[in-house]
Structure formats: structure tokens, C-alpha cells
């Protein structure tokens, strides 16, 4: 998937409405970190798993200073039903005219069973306090999305990933094979 926005780009400002018809402007969140996650459709299995994972980890995300905003092409009424059904503590934004999707490059051609159609790319943008995109998550793990977000944003987790990669890179080191090890192998057979 080719994305038009990458880490380091200024997040395009937009104005749209939330599930209650309240106007939401991205620039109103300046000074806060924002998780802006694009998802295809309310109340579908993958989108529900993603929303519920963010719901279950919402306090942790808040403690890390994040404001969570979900956005899809569904209307306000559908978002309200989704929030009530799943008890979501964050806002869902209605982008029925796809203007925000277009700005973020998330309205794309998809293919299913050989049929091509236009739809929402499941992508999350992590936006810093200055309105700059710090991370773009293109391969969203719907059941563990909060961990993806927190893993990318935490310098402590970033160093752990580096250590883990270095440790896993040591697999090429061969174990010394002495006479005792050879005897143990023969006994197992």
C-alpha cells in the first residue's frame, strides 16, 4: 500500500463531526498526542476487535498522553450505535464525504474475490503535540493495536525491540559439541 503521508510530515488539519454532531478540528488538539485511526466500517469483526482493544487499553493510552480518534465513512448515527454497543470511551468521526480520507491517502482501491472497489485503508497515524506525524502504522494488528501504538511511541520499548533483535540475531552461534554432547545425542536416539 502506498501512503502519501509519512513520519515527519505535518498532519493535515481537518474539520468534521463526531458521533454527537459536535464539530471536531484536528488543530484543536495541538499540545496533545493524537491517535488518529482510520477503519473501514462500524460493527464489523475487524473494526470491532480494533475498537475494543483500544477501549480496553484506553486508560493506559491516556496516561501516555494520547487522545484517541477513530474515523470512518460511516455517519454519526452509525457511530453512536457502535459506541453504545461496545461502550467505547473515545470519539468516532464521521467522514461521509471522504475528504479527510483523501487528505490522508486512506481512500484506496481494494480488491476482494477479483472485484475492485474503493474503500478505507486500515491505517493509524500517531500525531505529536506539534501536529507532526510521528508514526504511521500500516499493518494494523486489530487485536493488539494499543500495544502497537505504545510500542512505537515509548523510547523504553524501542530500546527493548533493539535488544530483542540483537538477541534473536545470535541464533547463528553454534553450540560447542564435545564428546559428552555427542554421547547425549546417541542416548536420545
Amino acid at each position: 500500500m502506498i501512503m502519501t503521508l509519512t513520519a515527519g510530515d505535518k498532519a493535515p488539519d481537518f474539520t468534521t463531526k463526531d458521533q454527537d454532531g459536535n464539530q471536531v478540528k484536528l488543530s484543536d488538539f495541538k499540545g496533545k498526542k493524537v491517535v488518529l485511526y482510520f477503519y473501514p466500517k462500524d460493527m464489523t469483526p475487524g473494526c470491532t476487535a480494533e475498537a475494543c482493544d483500544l477501549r480496553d487499553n484506553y486508560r493506559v493510552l491516556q496516561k501516555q498522553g494520547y487522545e484517541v480518534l477513530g474515523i470512518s465513512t460511516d455517519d454519526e448515527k452509525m457511530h453512536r450505535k457502535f459506541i453504545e454497543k461496545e461502550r467505547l470511551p473515545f470519539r468516532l468521526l464521521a467522514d461521509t464525504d471522504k475528504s479527510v480520507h483523501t487528505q490522508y491517502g486512506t481512500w484506496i482501491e481494494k480488491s476482494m474475490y477479483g472485484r475492485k472497489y474503493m474503500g478505507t485503508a486500515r491505517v493509524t497515524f500517531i500525531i505529536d503535540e506539534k501536529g507532526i506525524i510521528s508514526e504511521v502504522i500500516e499493518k494494523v494488528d486489530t487485536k493488539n493495536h494499543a500495544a502497537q501504538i505504545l510500542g512505537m511511541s515509548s523510547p523504553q520499548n524501542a530500546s527493548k525491540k533493539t535488544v530483542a533483535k540483537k538477541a534473536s540475531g545470535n541464533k547463528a552461534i553454534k553450540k560447542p559439541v564435545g564428546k559428552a554432547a555427542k554421547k547425549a545425542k546417541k542416548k536420545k536416539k
Side-chain angles (χ1 to χ4, degrees):
M1 171 179 4
I2 297 170
M3 296 305 300
T4 55
L5 294 171
T6 59
D9 290 343
K10 182 160 179 47
D13 197 13
F14 61 82
T15 303
T16 191
K17 293 189 176 180
D18 70 7
Q19 70 280 352
D20 298 320
N22 298 318
Q23 201 171 61
V24 177
K25 197 172 182 183
L26 183 63
S27 56
D28 290 343
F29 294 94
K30 207 160 196 169
K32 293 183 181 181
K33 294 185 281 187
V34 176
V35 172
L36 180 65
Y37 81 96
F38 287 80
Y39 66 97
K41 190 147 185 63
D42 291 334
M43 294 191 250
T44 56
C47 297
T48 299
E50 182 178 15
C52 290
D53 179 63
L54 293 171
R55 174 201 66 202
D56 295 346
N57 293 285
Y58 187 61
R59 286 189 179 162
V60 176
L61 289 162
Q62 280 189 311
K63 282 181 184 177
Q64 295 292 322
Y66 289 105
E67 185 73 37
V68 177
L69 300 171
I71 185 166
S72 79
T73 58
D74 288 318
D75 63 19
E76 298 158 27
K77 184 178 177 183
M78 193 70 172
H79 283 337
R80 216 173 10 263
K81 283 182 185 175
F82 191 33
I83 285 172
E84 288 168 9
K85 182 178 182 206
E86 301 301 336
R87 296 186 175 151
L88 304 178
F90 47 83
R91 295 158 113 182
L92 296 179
L93 309 180
D95 186 30
T96 55
D97 68 358
K98 302 164 193 74
S99 61
V100 182
H101 280 67
T102 303
Q103 285 181 284
Y104 281 78
T106 57
W107 187 248
I108 62 165
E109 184 176 87
K110 293 178 152 190
S111 179
M112 185 182 287
Y113 306 116
R115 184 179 71 88
K116 293 186 184 283
Y117 64 98
M118 295 302 288
T120 301
R122 188 185 304 276
V123 178
T124 298
F125 295 88
I126 310 299
I127 303 166
D128 72 14
E129 297 90 341
K130 294 177 183 172
I132 304 297
I133 297 168
S134 58
E135 295 289 341
V136 179
I137 304 172
E138 293 181 59
K139 292 184 180 182
V140 172
D141 178 350
T142 57
K143 293 180 182 172
N144 298 294
H145 195 36
Q148 283 181 300
I149 293 163
L150 294 167
M152 289 184 164
S153 65
S154 169
Q156 296 160 335
N157 289 341
S159 63
K160 285 179 188 174
K161 283 182 184 177
T162 306
V163 171
K165 282 183 183 176
K166 285 179 183 174
S168 66
N170 291 339
K171 288 180 183 175
I173 297 172
K174 293 182 180 177
K175 294 178 184 174
V177 180
K179 289 180 184 176
K182 285 181 183 177
K183 284 181 186 177
K185 279 186 181 179
K186 285 181 183 177
K187 284 183 183 177
K188 285 184 181 177
K189 291 180 182 179

